[in-house]
Amino acid sequence: MHKPRHAEDVTPPLVLNGAATWRWYASFLRDPLACFEAAKGRLPPITLLQNPIPFMPGGRRFLFAYGADANRFVLGHPDLFRSGGQVLVGPKDSAHYRLRRGIFAMNGDTHRAQRRAMQPPFLKPVVATYAPIMAQLIDDVLDQWRVGDTLDIYREMRKLSNWVAAYILFGSEDFHESVRMGETIERWLLLDTQARSSLMWADLPGTSYGRLLRQAEVLETAIKNAIARIRRGKMDGTDALTELIRSHDSGTTDMSETDMVAHAVILYAASFETTANALAWTLYLVAQHTELAAELCREVHTQLVDWPPEAEEIERLSLMEGVVKESLRLFPPVAHTLRTADGDAELAGLNLAGGDKVILCHYLTHRDPDVFPEPNRFRPARWRATRTDHYEYAAFSAGPRICLGMSFALLELKLTLARILQRFRFRVVPGAAIEGTIQLTLRPKSTIPMQILPLHDEFAASPVVGNIHRMVDTT
Ligand code: HEM
């Protein structure tokens, strides 16, 4: 039986049964963000949801947990808590089933070996070499902006994130094809979310589930074609897909052709939406915090002399570091994650059995007032004094499965923000409805409309409506 290191320090868990369990599930399925908000300050760090159908044999219990202790125990012991289950499984002989079996669904030695094989393009020194091309792609997007435009900044950041992911992950040889592949993956993820919430998981005409399975077939074929095209060429690309093919073809890993296709999809899926969301929320926060925005502009203008900068120059921007960290604290794109107990374990005095599920809520972990005073406030300066480990601040998760693309994401976020501040000022359209939602990731529900202004304009906060006011205090 495994126990957390300081089991005696853990606040006693709450146990929910019967109708209370059903109410919790209904609220979580209907609107996970509202469910987390409702739990804030009300639920202890661990809540056990008993099997809602007690007479159902094999029914699973769920543990809803937040905080560093639960993270340390669950994420720190990947051999006790399996990853997987983030997307619908699909029929065993389907393309969807094969595609979802990438790195996220792997565990144990297989996960360790394949993660190692995937790692080279994401090591920090290699990521630093992407700075010039990222900078170029960012400028390509910003070149389309005109002072006086009103743009949906969320849409723009999705475009930017798609271009960067497509170029660096799938290669530049046929950039438009890489971008289309990204869009095909985007659609597949969207259909997965729609199919999941429809609760109608039968392959029937007109259902989102049926469309999901067809989309997976299209996607699998597109990736296989791209792999075939790369193999027909010189195989000298520095993109992640070529690296994966090299790793597979070297025969030094157990990576099958099917694994490789699934990894390619997962890499894009893991990188695109998370980064787009983070960028959109960060721009929103900067636009609405005018003093901070002015200070950040000063830092960028005085310290970034050349464009494109070296990755180390970007890293030296200390306020920028705080802004990005604070934005990911308030709006962690991966707001919660799921693990399944592999065997017996004890957490906070609760005996878990193999098959029990654990939902780790990073959204609430990041709003612990003991670790982050005034947790609903956007205060980048707090990071000058706050020292946390990845279990307390889990935007990129923690432990052996920590985000493989963390350095990549941080470079892209900081470069983009810096370049926008070098070229424009921006203001949220007054009266806009700013709503967040959790659909796999924590994202804006629809748009974040912003006016694009000339550099000599001042930042000015705008009144807005929507559930944004529950997520962050701006008064
Ligand atoms: C702001 C952007 C990003 C955030 C907040 C983020 C966050 C995370 C989190 C929380 C996990 C763990 C998920 C879990 O355990 O359930 C994760 C895993 C992962 N991320 Fe990211 N990510 C970001 C960007 C990226 C990028 C740019 C890439 C690749 C280019 C990437 C690749 C991956 C991969 C491959 C994994 C799986 C690692 C494993 O299971 O060993 N991520 N990410």
Side-chain angles (χ1 to χ4, degrees):
M1 181 77 75
H2 295 262
K3 296 182 180 198
R5 226 162 5 123
H6 304 295
E8 66 284 0
D9 299 340
V10 178
T11 316
L14 174 72
V15 179
L16 297 182
N17 291 292
T21 311
W22 281 109
R23 270 198 300 279
W24 192 91
Y25 279 118
S27 133
F28 178 68
L29 290 173
R30 196 174 45 242
D31 185 346
L33 182 55
C35 173
F36 297 165
E37 277 292 334
K40 204 163 60 183
R42 294 211 187 101
L43 291 189
I46 293 177
T47 301
L48 174 69
L49 300 141
Q50 294 286 19
N51 178 6
I53 316 175
F55 49 82
M56 188 177 83
R60 298 296 172 223
R61 295 178 310 168
F62 266 84
L63 216 66
F64 177 71
Y66 63 90
D69 285 333
N71 278 348
R72 199 167 282 117
F73 189 53
V74 176
L75 299 173
H77 293 92
D79 291 334
L80 270 182
F81 293 95
R82 289 197 305 278
S83 166
Q86 277 90 344
V87 291
L88 285 171
V89 177
K92 271 217 158 112
D93 57 351
S94 66
H96 182 77
Y97 182 85
R98 289 187 292 278
L99 291 183
R100 65 163 287 285
R101 294 181 63 77
I103 183 99
F104 275 115
M106 292 179 165
N107 287 285
D109 290 342
T110 312
H111 170 261
R112 273 188 284 276
Q114 303 227 1
R115 183 176 160 110
R116 214 174 305 120
M118 291 170 76
Q119 213 157 22
F122 303 108
L123 294 171
K124 208 170 170 192
V126 180
V127 168
T129 66
Y130 303 146
I133 185 59
M134 273 188 193
Q136 181 56 57
L137 291 163
I138 292 164
D139 266 339
D140 289 348
V141 172
L142 300 190
D143 285 347
Q144 298 173 352
W145 293 12
R146 296 282 170 269
V147 166
D149 282 352
T150 296
L151 297 173
D152 171 10
I153 222 70
Y154 179 43
R155 188 162 171 270
E156 292 301 305
M157 292 304 106
R158 286 177 77 86
K159 187 199 302 177
L160 192 153
S161 176
N162 182 6
W163 288 10
V164 170
Y167 194 102
I168 296 177
L169 300 181
F170 296 151
S172 57
E173 204 178 295
D174 189 344
F175 178 59
H176 294 292
E177 181 53 39
S178 295
V179 169
R180 266 196 301 279
M181 209 142 74
E183 287 161 358
T184 311
I185 296 173
E186 226 182 300
R187 179 145 178 75
W188 175 65
L189 288 173
L190 180 70
L191 284 169
D192 186 87
T193 311
Q194 287 173 355
R196 186 188 292 268
S197 56
S198 77
L199 297 179
M200 167 62 153
W201 301 336
D203 185 7
L204 296 171
T207 58
S208 2
Y209 186 71
R211 282 197 295 276
L212 170 71
L213 299 187
R214 300 296 85 71
Q215 183 68 13
E217 288 159 11
V218 172
L219 175 55
E220 191 182 46
T221 306
I223 301 273
K224 283 181 173 173
N225 288 344
I227 291 174
R229 176 174 48 75
I230 291 174
R231 281 202 176 113
R232 280 196 304 274
K234 290 199 219 103
M235 286 281 295
D236 56 355
T238 51
D239 56 279
L241 185 54
T242 306
E243 285 280 359
L244 269 181
I245 302 171
R246 271 200 286 269
S247 179
H248 168 271
D249 294 358
S250 69
T252 52
T253 67
D254 286 339
M255 194 188 293
S256 68
E257 193 82 16
T258 311
D259 293 338
M260 184 171 58
V261 172
H263 290 331
V265 171
I266 292 299
L267 272 180
Y268 181 91
S271 72
F272 156 71
E273 179 139 336
T274 47
T275 314
N277 296 349
L279 281 168
W281 291 125
T282 309
L283 288 169
Y284 171 81
L285 288 167
V286 170
Q288 295 290 74
H289 292 81
T290 50
E291 274 177 36
L292 173 277
E295 211 186 318
L296 187 62
C297 285
R298 273 195 296 280
E299 181 178 82
V300 168
H301 289 303
T302 52
Q303 294 194 35
L304 275 195
V305 186
D306 299 321
W307 188 262
E310 299 287 332
E312 303 93 78
E313 286 175 77
I314 281 283
E315 268 184 35
R316 279 200 292 271
L317 303 177
S318 59
L319 183 57
M320 174 74 80
E321 169 80 12
V323 165
V324 167
K325 272 189 122 164
E326 185 70 345
S327 165
L328 290 171
R329 180 185 71 78
L330 283 168
F331 297 91
V334 181
H336 65 291
T337 189
L338 185 70
R339 292 291 187 270
T340 306
D342 225 5
D344 293 349
E346 188 193 318
L347 180 56
L350 291 171
N351 293 327
L352 297 183
D356 285 345
K357 309 270 183 200
V358 183
I359 299 173
L360 292 171
C361 183
H362 302 325
Y363 184 84
L364 288 184
T365 299
H366 286 185
R367 285 159 197 264
D368 178 345
D370 291 338
V371 184
F372 305 105
E374 295 190 287
N376 265 21
R377 284 201 176 275
F378 178 63
R379 283 181 37 208
R382 77 169 81 236
W383 290 99
R384 288 192 198 122
T386 308
R387 297 281 168 267
T388 53
D389 63 19
H390 286 296
Y391 296 107
E392 290 162 308
Y393 174 75
F396 290 100
S397 190
R401 302 193 77 117
I402 193 167
C403 175
L404 199 65
M406 183 166 67
S407 304
F408 186 117
L410 289 174
L411 180 63
E412 184 177 345
L413 292 176
K414 292 174 184 176
L415 269 178
T416 306
L417 192 50
R419 191 53 168 167
I420 294 177
L421 293 172
Q422 281 184 337
R423 294 186 57 175
F424 301 103
R425 295 290 172 265
F426 45 92
R427 193 172 298 159
V428 180
V429 170
I434 307 294
E435 299 276 349
T437 183
I438 296 177
Q439 287 180 7
L440 211 58
T441 59
L442 171 53
R443 42 172 285 196
K445 199 173 201 168
S446 55
T447 62
I448 301 191
M450 286 207 194
Q451 294 157 346
I452 305 302
L453 305 168
L455 273 183
H456 56 74
D457 261 34
E458 300 285 327
F459 279 98
S462 300
V464 295
V465 295
N467 70 0
I468 189 76
H469 294 297
R470 301 181 66 183
M471 296 189 276
V472 59
D473 294 341
T474 39
T475 48

